[in-house]
Amino acid sequence: MKWPEGVTIKEVGPRDGLQNEKTFISTDDKIAWINQLSESGLKHIEITSFVNPKWIPALSDATAVATGITKVPGVTYTALVPNLRGLERAFQSNVDEIAVFMSASETHNQKNINKSIDQTFPVLRDLVRETIMAGKISRGYVSTVFGCPYEGHVKIESVIRVSENLFEMGIAELSLGDTIGVANPKQVQDVLEVLLKRFPADNLAMHFHDTRGTALANILVSLEMGVTTFDSSLGGLGGCPYAPGASGNVATDDLLYMLHGMGIHTGVDQHKLLHASQFIQEKIGRTLPSKSFQAASSALGGTLGSTV
Amino acid sequence: MKWPEGVTIKEVGPRDGLQNEKTFISTDDKIAWINQLSESGLKHIEITSFVNPKWIPALSDATAVATGITKVPGVTYTALVPNLRGLERAFQSNVDEIAVFMSASETHNQKNINKSIDQTFPVLRDLVRETIMAGKISRGYVSTVFGCPYEGHVKIESVIRVSENLFEMGIAELSLGDTIGVANPKQVQDVLEVLLKRFPADNLAMHFHDTRGTALANILVSLEMGVTTFDSSLGGLGGCPYAPGASGNVATDDLLYMLHGMGIHTGVDQHKLLHASQFIQEKIGRTLPSKSFQAASSALGGTLGSTV
């Protein structure tokens, strides 16, 4: 098997990780945590979401967070944006990159965005155009690529159609989301085989949730297929607090453990991130799902991870 | 990537999974659980360990368990045995297969068995000879293949030497153990590349612990290298109860989710195992680490998994 020499990690913990948490993390704590992340060597951090605060109260302080952090040169700070109103707020907060999102399955798109897939295209087109005109980077998310909570199987034709539309709009990178964490390595291989005939590997990122424990195996196959950019969330944040053991995004900690063990370069300092995981675990007040974080905490005599 | 059509799963939950649990599972509950396992389509179940009950009080009822279960034709029931006294008890209990064990690292072998590696060989040689003479199957475990809690890195020469000795004794299968769950896919590839030049893939099994979340990725690489037999533990039992989130053996549930999703045949009924996971979770009284079990429980409206 052939694996790449280096991998780019895009940390989505402050946005995807925190957005469903019951515990509100204070603005000061969010800022402190994001500053820890940017000092660890991570070069891409999705810091918040400029959605209507009524939808996602956990991120209602988006502007304060985005303007309060200490920007590290060389780090790209990203915000999720659903519409022009959010884009305006994101521009005012001077983020570097705008992420837009939609789903590959009609029902999930309808429930999440309140529009059909076809109705969503013009909205995102405006966002991407404005983003590029403002000299910022544009990133696209496709959700439910590997399965939909409402429809089950998602047709590859729908993934292709949404992906093509997003690239035609001008996004620099497309992140393929396993939103409900159902993908298996064979499916990842099958989907990537089709997509890599149409889009360069360098413009694709994989966004796995570890709901069923398969995320690292899915990443391994993606690496073998030539994809080298992965979204992940520190500590595995993003799980549903109501489902014991359920996990959110693949944990940055686990991903780094695997990649560094394989000799794959990421530029990230694992030790610094260990403290950032501990910091956010204490603020969240529950045990984070990342296994390598928990193992590392235990190895340090339980001084880390012992408070919750 | 090429994956096999079928995989053999060796369930080690009743032995490796339960041996470190603080909660004593009653003999009747162990028997009921093993009977559930054997009705799920699993063809290999390691049911107990005939060690000195002082060492492992959790399995002090080995004889009662081994003689109390309902044997399903076609299922191989295995017991772990450390010495001739244990072998005698195992024979009296009429198990089908005897598993012997030692470590690839000197310090772990010394601490675990109280003998050097060289002192262990004649003991195991006697056990394997007696096992074969009794018409039973003999299985060998090598621990600390991918790392030792005392020595760190373990030399491949030591793994080869222990493996060669065990095969020369007459074991039918060698299980390569990542005892402390440190392996990564590159390391698995490197180790298997060396071992598969010396031993047929059909005589090797992989025994991964999921302490750092890499077990399924390690299994995926093993599959690609041609290994088709894997040890696993229902629910991911076997984690240290003192380390929150820490995980033991790779969960049978997670392994089945991945393999079946990839179209790889195992002969095991996932739905039946879901109930067996729920049963043992209730008896253990803590949330089992298997992510796909927790996801499946939640999907069933929380009726499974909601009691702890």
Side-chain angles (χ1 to χ4, degrees), chain A residues 15 41 45 47 57 118 123 125 133 156-157 160 186 191 212 223 233 236 245 254 264 288 295:
Chain A
R15 196 278 302 171
I45 307 171
I47 54 172
D118 281 337
V123 177
R125 189 165 291 120
M133 280 174 61
I156 187 70
E157 290 76 16
I160 294 170
K186 170 79 162 54
V191 167
R212 288 160 185 84
L223 287 170
S233 169
D254 295 351
I264 297 173
L288 293 181

Side-chain angles (χ1 to χ4, degrees), chain B residues 10-265:
Chain B
K10 306 216 159 171
E11 172 63 41
V12 298
R15 196 276 303 172
D16 205 5
L18 292 186
Q19 68 181 12
N20 289 321
E21 286 295 332
K22 290 286 285 178
T23 308
F24 184 83
I25 306 299
S26 78
T27 306
D28 284 351
D29 286 340
K30 282 176 186 148
I31 290 170
W33 186 45
I34 292 168
N35 287 344
Q36 291 168 20
L37 296 174
S38 62
E39 285 158 13
S40 73
L42 285 163
K43 293 296 177 204
H44 301 265
I45 308 172
E46 192 166 291
I47 55 173
T48 192
S49 175
F50 287 95
V51 295
N52 190 323
K54 280 186 209 158
W55 297 354
I56 303 187
L59 303 182
S60 59
D61 54 357
T63 300
V65 169
T67 56
I69 55 174
T70 305
K71 294 265 187 90
V72 171
V75 174
T76 300
Y77 295 91
T78 306
L80 196 76
V81 160
N83 51 33
L84 284 170
R85 189 178 150 71
L87 190 69
E88 201 175 320
R89 291 170 62 210
F91 283 171
Q92 284 161 3
S93 304
N94 200 27
V95 298
D96 306 306
E97 184 180 64
I98 302 294
V100 299
F101 59 98
M102 63 184 299
S103 306
S105 59
E106 197 63 56
T107 317
H108 188 267
N109 199 79
Q110 189 74 46
K111 299 232 183 201
N112 201 34
I113 304 183
N114 210 23
K115 287 185 176 61
S116 72
I117 285 178
D118 281 337
Q119 288 166 339
T120 307
F121 286 143
V123 177
L124 300 199
R125 189 164 291 121
D126 284 351
L127 293 176
V128 172
R129 191 188 53 239
E130 296 293 324
T131 298
I132 294 169
M133 281 173 60
K136 313 255 180 209
I137 310 163
S138 180
R139 184 173 210 239
Y141 280 110
V142 195
S143 299
T144 65
V145 168
F146 299 94
C148 170
Y150 309 107
E151 299 178 17
H153 175 72
V154 174
K155 284 187 181 167
I156 187 71
E157 290 77 16
S158 183
V159 177
I160 293 170
R161 181 162 172 264
V162 169
S163 302
E164 279 177 345
N165 270 274
L166 283 163
F167 275 121
E168 279 166 16
M169 293 174 198
I171 59 162
E173 182 174 271
L174 184 70
S175 175
L176 301 163
D178 182 18
T179 311
I180 53 172
V182 292
N184 68 67
K186 171 80 162 54
Q187 190 186 13
V188 172
Q189 178 179 259
D190 291 347
V191 167
L192 280 179
E193 248 170 23
V194 172
L195 294 184
L196 288 171
K197 284 179 189 152
R198 289 166 172 81
F199 315 112
D202 285 353
N203 298 118
L204 295 181
M206 305 305 290
H207 181 102
F208 290 115
H209 282 237
D210 202 22
T211 320
R212 287 159 187 84
T214 55
L216 287 185
N218 292 335
I219 287 173
L220 193 69
V221 170
S222 307
L223 287 171
E224 293 185 25
M225 303 287 289
V227 177
T228 57
T229 302
F230 298 94
D231 300 350
S232 62
S233 168
L234 201 68
L237 267 173
C240 174
Y242 304 109
S247 200
N249 293 92
V250 63
T252 307
D253 325 54
D254 295 350
L255 179 55
L256 285 175
Y257 180 83
M258 182 175 84
L259 293 175
H260 290 180
M262 296 171 73
I264 297 173
H265 176 78

